[in-house]
């Protein structure tokens, strides 16, 4: 039977796992953003708050959603076309990152390569 509750991992789970956050603060922080009932949010906080995950706020960032395995190749190619670099690559160096022209070629090859539930590797 399908679940009747849906949650957003980053909104509810990660937020519930932040350190030093009392239940009241957690519930206020989610406000009307969450579609989960308060009783479920309270249970999430009770189970996950002891994990005390850590995070970092970064400026000038982009969230990349890679989705399912079928969506991953195109999402990867799109990230290359945007000339994005991982947070650990020093600004201006782009060392280890594909230039946009290479990413465009990879994306073109991915679109023309049949995918039958497997993974296609290109060099």
């Amino acid at each position: 039977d399908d679940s009747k509750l849906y949650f957003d991992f980053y909104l509810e789970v990660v937020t519930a796992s932040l350190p030093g956050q009392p239940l009241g603060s957690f519930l206020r922080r989610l406000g009307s953003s969450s579609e989960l009932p308060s009783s479920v949010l309270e249970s999430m906080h009770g189970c996950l708050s002891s994990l005390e995950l850590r995070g970092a706020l970064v400026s000038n960032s982009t969230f990349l959603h890679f989705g399912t395995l079928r969506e991953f190749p195109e999402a990867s190619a799109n990230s290359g076309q945007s000339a994005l670099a991982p947070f650990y690559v020093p600004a201006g160096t782009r060392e280890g990152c594909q230039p946009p022209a290479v990413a465009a070629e990879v994306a073109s090859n991915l679109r023309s390569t049949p995918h039958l539930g497997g993974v296609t590797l290109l060099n």
Side-chain angles (χ1 to χ4, degrees):
D1 200 345
D2 289 342
S3 173
K4 304 260 188 275
L5 295 175
Y6 298 93
F7 65 91
D8 180 300
F9 178 80
Y10 295 100
L11 177 65
E12 286 99 358
V13 175
V14 171
T15 304
S17 304
L18 295 175
Q21 176 179 226
L23 175 61
S25 298
F26 169 68
L27 295 174
R28 278 190 302 280
R29 178 175 276 156
L30 292 183
S32 61
S33 301
S34 176
E35 296 180 18
L36 293 175
S38 293
S39 60
V40 173
L41 291 173
E42 290 172 12
S43 294
M44 278 185 141
H45 182 270
C47 293
L48 300 171
S49 61
S50 63
L51 293 177
E52 295 190 352
L53 295 181
R54 301 284 191 239
L57 295 176
V58 294
S59 61
N60 195 21
S61 62
T62 301
F63 177 79
L64 297 175
H65 176 73
F66 287 100
T68 65
L69 185 56
R70 286 182 187 247
E71 298 168 313
F72 183 77
E74 187 170 352
S76 297
N78 288 341
S79 70
Q81 289 173 339
S82 301
L84 300 174
F87 69 92
Y88 51 82
V89 174
T93 65
R94 302 284 188 220
E95 185 177 325
C97 297
Q98 293 181 335
V102 174
E105 181 182 342
V106 169
S108 174
N109 288 338
L110 288 173
R111 282 190 287 277
S112 63
T113 304
H115 298 280
L116 301 174
V119 176
T120 302
L121 300 175
L122 303 170
N123 30 339

